[in-house]
Amino acid sequence: MLKNVISGLLGLFLVFSCPAQNKIVSTKSADSNSKPRLVVGIVIDQMRYDYLTRFYNKYGEGGFKRMMNEGFNCKNNHYNYVPTYTGPGHASIYTGTTPKYHGIIANDWYDKEIKKSVYCTGDDSMKSVGTNTEDGQMSPHRMKTTTFPDENRLFTQMRGKTVGISIKDRGAILPAGHTANAAYWFYGKDKGYFISSTFYMDTLPNWVNEFNNSNVVASYLKPWNTLYNIETYTESGNDLNDFEGGFKGKETASFPYDLNVLKEKNGGFDILKATAYGNSIIADFAIAALNGEQLGQDNMTDVLAVSFSSTDYVGHNFGVNSKEIEDTYIRLDKDLERLFKALDTQVGKGNYTVFLTADHAAVEVPSYLQSVKIPAGYIDSKAQKNRFTEFMEIKFGTSDLIENVSNNQVFLNRAKIEELDLDLDDVQEALVNEIIMYPNIDKAYTATAMSSQEFNTGIEALLQKGFNQKRSGDVLFVYDPAFISYGKTGSTHGTGLNYDTHVPLFFFGKGIKHGQTLQKTEVTDIAPTMSALLGISFPNGAIGQPLEFVLD
Ligand SMILES: [Zn+2]
């Protein structure tokens, strides 16, 4: 009996002691000593989740597999809004919110106020740094909310640094945020330089000039052949097929590509952007930045945002099932290994935390899907716009009611609607009822519907999270699955379907558990998770949840 009492008391003790134990574990990450010296955010432009599994046997131990073996793998991570493009993707990863709040509704969009198309990071009030062209006139001014690196800057009294690096300007600028010390992106053409904007600095720092004046970039103007014997690339389609674009000056889209010869007809150094070597250049530059910007050298956490864009250019050109994509990922895996090794030696193992994700994924080339009997196809968007306009003319007696059609949205001519004394809701509704009858338009909604009710699930919820009341159009439409407005070769992206939304998400390094989950996570969870790790405020518009199970 005494034994029973003791075991009963022991049971009670265990019951009461468990929550206390949990508490000790969960407060650990708030301790300033446990903060990483450097957070490295890695975005792989257009990376589908299945590139991890499809090319798994081709990867080495130090890149993607190192993240699998040491870090946390969120295997069911998705975009939670439409459109899945580069600008919105990078903004959402780092702000923890969606276009509804951060305002980056596309890469380019029609600005209703000034009545012309604007670029997400274009800023005429800035000057280029490192080039005399307009390519540096950039800033994040159109992004309305803060990024987690912004919150880290505020928290550390601007002592923790932020640096953004990418081939694409928007891939460097949006992640780094409003308070960044620097963002650098690639300028190809006749130079092959990294440049910046007066938003950050007046002149390039010495280490960037040194990099630009070195032979590093030019050394990649060499033949691009597969890293391993092409016969072993059994995870992708035939090298010669009807679904790939290729380079000007070479008849077939097949290996090898002599970049030094092809550069002339393909934009000079710009050809490197669309090859696996563009990723190697970014890895080289990011490694140079560790020392050049003195990142992760003290207890004030710095943030390095690196975006590999060449994966996107290769996907657009050759499609997601190409040998070129397979080789690009095999080589990217090696570039990641180099970057992680540099972090180990320059910042120190256990002193840094990495996350890796993508800004969107991509569809299989529709003409390839058709060849294997999967419903897919192409939309002639110009003909479609004409049809929209014709309908409006018949219905309302005027041809200029449609001001712009872009990013699967129709912008109506508000002034004309007022002038004709029409009801905006009626015009939106009439257009929705008309276009939903067109072939390959699967869904259509009015802006009024988007802003007057709340959708919790399905495509309506994704459209709503991508809908910004001030910036978005009057009518939104969705094509049938795997129907794209694009050329017959190569892949693209933009929808709310799994082929565009499902992207990798890894965390690894300081403060991160080892494990994996199939539980659904969303891209907007990343910034709150990093904020929780650092013990800083969440970005001001963040809607995601910290992923508690990845934090140590
Ligand atoms: Zn793209």
Side-chain angles (χ1 to χ4, degrees):
M1 193 185 148
L2 186 65
K3 206 176 157 191
N4 281 347
V5 169
I6 289 171
S7 70
L9 281 172
L10 199 67
L12 269 177
F13 174 75
L14 285 175
V15 165
F16 286 113
S17 64
C18 278
Q21 267 183 350
N22 283 343
K23 216 171 175 184
I24 291 165
V25 170
S26 64
T27 52
K28 214 174 95 182
S29 57
D31 180 343
S32 66
N33 290 329
S34 74
K35 282 189 189 183
R37 290 178 163 201
L38 178 64
V39 169
V40 183
I42 300 174
V43 180
I44 315 293
D45 204 315
Q46 206 193 101
M47 183 170 183
R48 289 163 58 107
Y49 173 77
D50 70 354
Y51 291 157
L52 290 173
T53 47
R54 189 146 63 97
F55 307 140
Y56 181 86
N57 291 328
K58 293 285 192 295
Y59 293 142
E61 294 302 312
F64 290 117
K65 280 189 187 167
R66 179 167 171 191
M67 288 186 282
M68 290 178 202
N69 294 333
E70 292 179 24
F72 204 99
N73 188 357
C74 298
K75 299 162 89 169
N76 189 16
N77 182 59
H78 288 260
Y79 274 83
N80 53 356
Y81 63 83
V82 172
T84 40
Y85 297 145
T86 292
H90 283 80
S92 300
I93 292 163
Y94 284 83
T95 61
T97 190
T98 69
K100 178 179 178 179
Y101 298 107
H102 63 57
I104 303 297
I105 60 167
N107 293 331
D108 302 88
W109 66 86
Y110 180 71
D111 186 316
K112 291 188 264 195
E113 269 172 56
I114 60 173
K115 302 210 176 294
K116 61 179 186 189
S117 182
V118 295
Y119 177 58
C120 59
T121 50
D123 188 345
D124 292 343
S125 70
M126 297 296 151
K127 289 196 178 75
S128 300
V129 175
T131 170
N132 296 324
T133 66
E134 292 170 1
D135 301 72
Q137 291 186 276
M138 301 280 163
S139 84
H141 72 113
R142 286 193 176 86
M143 185 167 68
K144 297 178 172 206
T145 61
T146 60
T147 61
F148 84 82
D150 282 326
E151 297 299 334
N152 183 57
R153 294 274 290 154
L154 290 168
F155 184 89
T156 61
Q157 305 304 318
M158 302 291 155
R159 289 190 284 250
K161 283 182 106 174
T162 309
V163 176
I165 288 170
S166 177
I167 290 284
K168 293 182 183 175
D169 45 42
R170 59 189 181 277
I173 292 165
L174 297 170
H178 306 280
T179 57
N181 300 79
Y184 304 105
W185 54 95
F186 187 72
Y187 172 83
K189 297 176 195 171
D190 56 329
K191 295 277 195 284
Y193 280 179
F194 279 87
I195 62 167
S196 191
S197 157
T198 50
F199 180 76
Y200 306 99
M201 61 193 77
D202 294 325
T203 53
L204 292 174
N206 281 340
W207 75 269
V208 176
N209 284 326
E210 273 168 32
F211 188 93
N212 286 343
N213 294 328
S214 74
N215 197 40
V216 173
V217 173
S219 73
Y220 289 105
L221 286 170
K222 61 182 180 181
W224 175 23
N225 208 343
T226 51
L227 184 64
Y228 305 124
N229 185 343
I230 197 164
E231 301 299 322
T232 68
Y233 284 28
T234 52
E235 301 82 2
S236 44
N238 291 332
D239 197 19
L240 258 185
N241 61 64
D242 297 331
F243 318 118
E244 303 182 10
F247 293 113
K248 285 177 198 153
K250 186 174 195 302
E251 209 141 302
T252 59
S254 56
F255 283 107
Y257 299 96
D258 191 340
L259 304 181
N260 202 33
V261 172
L262 292 171
K263 70 173 193 286
E264 228 159 285
K265 289 185 173 159
N266 295 274
F269 283 93
D270 276 331
I271 194 173
L272 291 169
K273 293 181 183 176
T275 71
Y277 298 144
N279 295 323
S280 304
I281 292 168
I282 287 299
D284 294 339
F285 192 72
I287 290 166
L290 291 178
N291 192 36
E293 302 280 348
Q294 285 292 294
L295 299 173
Q297 299 305 313
D298 57 35
N299 283 330
M300 289 292 163
T301 304
D302 300 323
V303 180
L304 174 62
V306 184
S307 177
F308 291 93
S309 321
S310 293
T311 39
D312 182 68
Y313 291 106
V314 176
H316 279 293
N317 193 350
F318 300 96
V320 306
N321 198 44
S322 61
K323 292 271 184 268
E324 287 80 357
I325 267 290
E326 178 163 3
D327 193 63
T328 296
Y329 277 88
I330 290 169
R331 289 175 182 273
L332 174 62
D333 185 58
K334 300 273 178 260
D335 289 323
L336 289 174
E337 179 171 353
R338 273 199 304 132
L339 178 59
F340 297 156
K341 274 187 181 154
L343 288 166
D344 288 343
T345 53
Q346 295 189 44
V347 181
K349 235 178 170 177
N351 287 332
Y352 66 91
T353 308
V354 174
F355 71 83
L356 181 146
T357 189
D359 55 347
H360 54 75
V363 69
E364 292 266 8
V365 178
S367 55
Y368 168 64
L369 290 177
Q370 287 172 333
S371 78
V372 292
K373 301 188 223 173
I374 290 174
Y378 296 89
I379 307 279
D380 180 346
S381 53
K382 210 170 167 193
Q384 189 182 62
K385 191 191 169 188
N386 290 340
R387 201 170 167 191
F388 292 178
T389 306
E390 266 168 46
F391 163 74
M392 295 301 248
E393 202 169 349
I394 293 163
K395 176 86 180 173
F396 298 104
T398 174
S399 63
D400 49 7
L401 272 180
I402 291 179
E403 214 165 77
N404 176 275
V405 182
S406 51
N407 304 309
N408 291 13
Q409 300 188 358
V410 181
F411 292 80
L412 296 172
N413 184 338
R414 301 284 183 100
K416 194 80 190 174
I417 287 170
E418 213 158 286
E419 187 192 312
L420 296 173
D421 207 21
L422 296 167
D423 184 70
L424 179 65
D425 289 1
D426 289 349
V427 180
Q428 288 180 355
E429 200 69 45
L431 190 60
V432 162
N433 291 333
E434 167 70 10
I435 69 175
I436 196 61
M437 295 189 299
Y438 295 178
N440 310 126
I441 289 190
D442 193 31
K443 307 251 183 307
Y445 304 90
T446 65
T448 308
M450 284 293 135
S451 48
S452 62
Q453 54 191 297
E454 197 178 339
F455 300 107
N456 295 314
T457 58
I459 185 66
E460 294 85 357
L462 271 72
L463 286 166
Q464 190 166 51
K465 287 200 179 79
F467 177 82
N468 188 286
Q469 210 175 355
K470 269 182 101 82
R471 292 181 178 175
S472 297
D474 290 286
V475 165
L476 294 73
F477 54 89
V478 176
Y479 295 137
D480 278 336
F483 275 75
I484 60 176
S485 169
Y486 198 73
K488 293 269 164 78
T489 56
S491 292
T492 192
H493 49 87
T495 76
L497 292 159
N498 285 320
Y499 55 71
D500 281 337
T501 65
H502 191 192
V503 293
L505 175 59
F506 284 107
F507 297 90
F508 102 99
K510 181 120 182 164
I512 303 297
K513 274 189 191 141
H514 174 46
Q516 56 181 24
T517 185
L518 269 170
Q519 187 183 311
K520 190 168 185 180
T521 58
E522 293 179 332
V523 159
T524 45
D525 297 333
I526 298 169
T529 303
M530 298 321 289
S531 298
L533 174 77
L534 299 178
I536 62 175
S537 290
F538 290 11
N540 58 19
I543 60 165
Q545 290 289 323
L547 301 173
E548 204 174 358
F549 47 84
V550 314
L551 296 176
D552 213 350

